[in-house]
Amino acid sequence: MKMKSEINYHERSHYYSTKYMRSSKAVGVLWGIFTLCYTILAIVVFMQDQWIGDADNSKGPGNFGTWRWCTDSQDGREICRGRLDDFGTILSPAFRAATVFTGLAVIISILCVVALVLFFMCRSSDVFKICGTMQYLSGLCLGIGILSFPAGWDNDEVRGVCGPQADDFKLGTCGIRWTFVLAVIAFFDSIILGCLAFTLATKKLKFLEEPAYMNPSSMYQGEINPGFMGDNMSLTGSRKSGGLQPVMLMPHGPQDDRYSEYSHPANRSSQSPFRTAGPQVPQVQHNFQL
């Protein structure tokens, strides 16, 4: 009964370990896909100028990003300003800080995608730790950029669109656009991906040793009676590792002296001292290996 319960236990352990390995591989693949998606989101957030924009009751049309903003001219054409190679064209120091930290988030996320190549050269746990650290740093930079951006809403250009009520962390008559929402989603995405990466890196499967009766390769191993062991064979060794080959000795030739002299009343043994010396037939033994 005990052996049966142990067999059932090891069968269940093997089933769950196999299921865990398959699930972990599937989760790792999904993690890689969402890592690539996060990088795309970070690039879109950095490049777009739709963080905030005018609403129905705004003073005029316009929209603003971290480093680029656009307003409409009198003839209805959209005029955009702001350049990455000239930080002086960015509206305020808060917008510059948001640009720097958002750009760092993009760079780190791209490096994280490049680091996925290390799966072919290094241990997967080490790669998960490296990428998880990068994702945490990227999310931290993106979070700082998100918090820095509203501190520049008191700029005159922003108030020209959002009204005089616009101030630090106050939009006035403007509204939040889709890029700002996408930036918040990307921030939480990076944190979740970082946690998942460290979970995959530290979660290791503990393999259980199978008993001897469940392992086909251990048919020569097990308990050995020391009474049937040779001198060169240890108690912990196996028949295969002991290097012994069983030998059966088969006598060959006439066996005149097989029985004692008392079992043959009519004839004497060939080895009897009272019998005259005669030709001795040598006894030959042949070794047969099993």
Side-chain angles (χ1 to χ4, degrees):
M1 187 67 181
K2 182 179 179 181
M3 183 178 294
K4 184 177 180 181
S5 62
E6 290 180 356
I7 294 176
N8 293 333
Y9 170 75
H10 283 280
E11 286 179 351
R12 288 195 302 269
S13 301
H14 184 266
Y15 169 75
Y16 286 118
S17 64
T18 305
K19 186 177 180 181
Y20 172 80
M21 292 299 293
R22 292 176 179 176
S23 301
S24 62
K25 289 180 180 179
V27 173
V29 172
L30 289 176
W31 172 85
I33 294 174
F34 282 110
T35 297
L36 181 60
C37 292
Y38 165 72
T39 303
I40 296 174
L41 290 180
I43 294 173
V44 171
V45 165
F46 180 71
M47 297 301 297
Q48 286 294 324
D49 54 15
Q50 297 289 334
W51 284 59
I52 60 174
D54 61 276
D56 295 336
N57 55 348
S58 297
K59 290 180 61 177
N63 48 273
F64 300 88
T66 56
W67 56 276
R68 186 168 180 261
W69 80 98
C70 301
T71 56
D72 288 344
S73 61
Q74 294 180 356
D75 54 359
R77 293 188 306 172
E78 188 179 56
I79 301 176
C80 297
R81 304 178 183 89
R83 292 164 49 187
L84 285 175
D85 57 351
D86 185 5
F87 268 41
T89 59
I90 300 177
L91 288 177
S92 65
F95 282 12
R96 297 189 191 103
T99 301
V100 170
F101 283 104
T102 307
L104 287 176
V106 172
I107 294 173
I108 296 173
S109 63
I110 294 175
L111 292 177
C112 182
V113 173
V114 175
L116 296 179
V117 183
L118 296 176
F119 276 109
F120 299 99
M121 297 175 286
C122 305
R123 294 172 52 188
S124 59
S125 59
D126 296 335
V127 180
F128 277 125
K129 290 178 182 179
I130 293 172
C131 292
T133 304
M134 288 184 178
Q135 287 170 340
Y136 278 137
L137 291 176
S138 179
L140 178 63
C141 293
L142 184 59
I144 295 174
I146 293 173
L147 293 177
S148 301
F149 182 71
W153 291 348
D154 59 345
N155 186 267
D156 293 336
E157 294 290 341
V158 179
R159 286 178 175 174
V161 177
C162 302
Q165 300 88 1
D167 202 350
D168 293 345
F169 297 92
K170 292 182 181 179
L171 266 179
T173 58
C174 290
I176 297 293
R177 293 290 179 90
W178 62 272
T179 307
F180 194 92
V181 178
L182 196 64
V184 176
I185 294 174
F187 167 75
F188 286 106
D189 187 18
S190 65
I191 301 300
I192 294 173
L193 289 175
C195 294
L196 183 59
F198 274 96
T199 301
L200 293 172
T202 57
K203 206 73 173 178
K204 295 182 180 179
L205 183 64
K206 184 179 180 181
F207 292 97
L208 300 175
E209 294 184 359
E210 296 183 352
Y213 53 80
M214 292 188 64
N215 192 355
S217 62
S218 62
M219 59 182 299
Y220 290 104
Q221 299 177 357
E223 297 182 358
I224 301 176
N225 191 341
F228 296 94
M229 291 173 54
D231 295 334
N232 62 340
M233 189 172 186
S234 62
L235 285 172
T236 58
S238 63
R239 182 179 179 182
K240 187 178 291 186
S241 62
L244 295 180
Q245 296 182 354
V247 178
M248 183 175 66
L249 302 178
M250 298 289 294
H252 184 71
Q255 303 292 329
D256 297 332
D257 200 22
R258 174 170 290 191
Y259 306 99
S260 65
E261 59 182 353
Y262 298 102
S263 62
H264 297 278
N267 299 323
R268 292 186 179 273
S269 172
S270 60
Q271 303 295 330
S272 174
F274 301 99
R275 191 171 180 177
T276 59
Q280 298 292 330
V281 179
Q283 294 184 0
V284 182
Q285 290 183 344
H286 296 278
N287 296 340
F288 294 91
Q289 293 186 359
L290 297 180

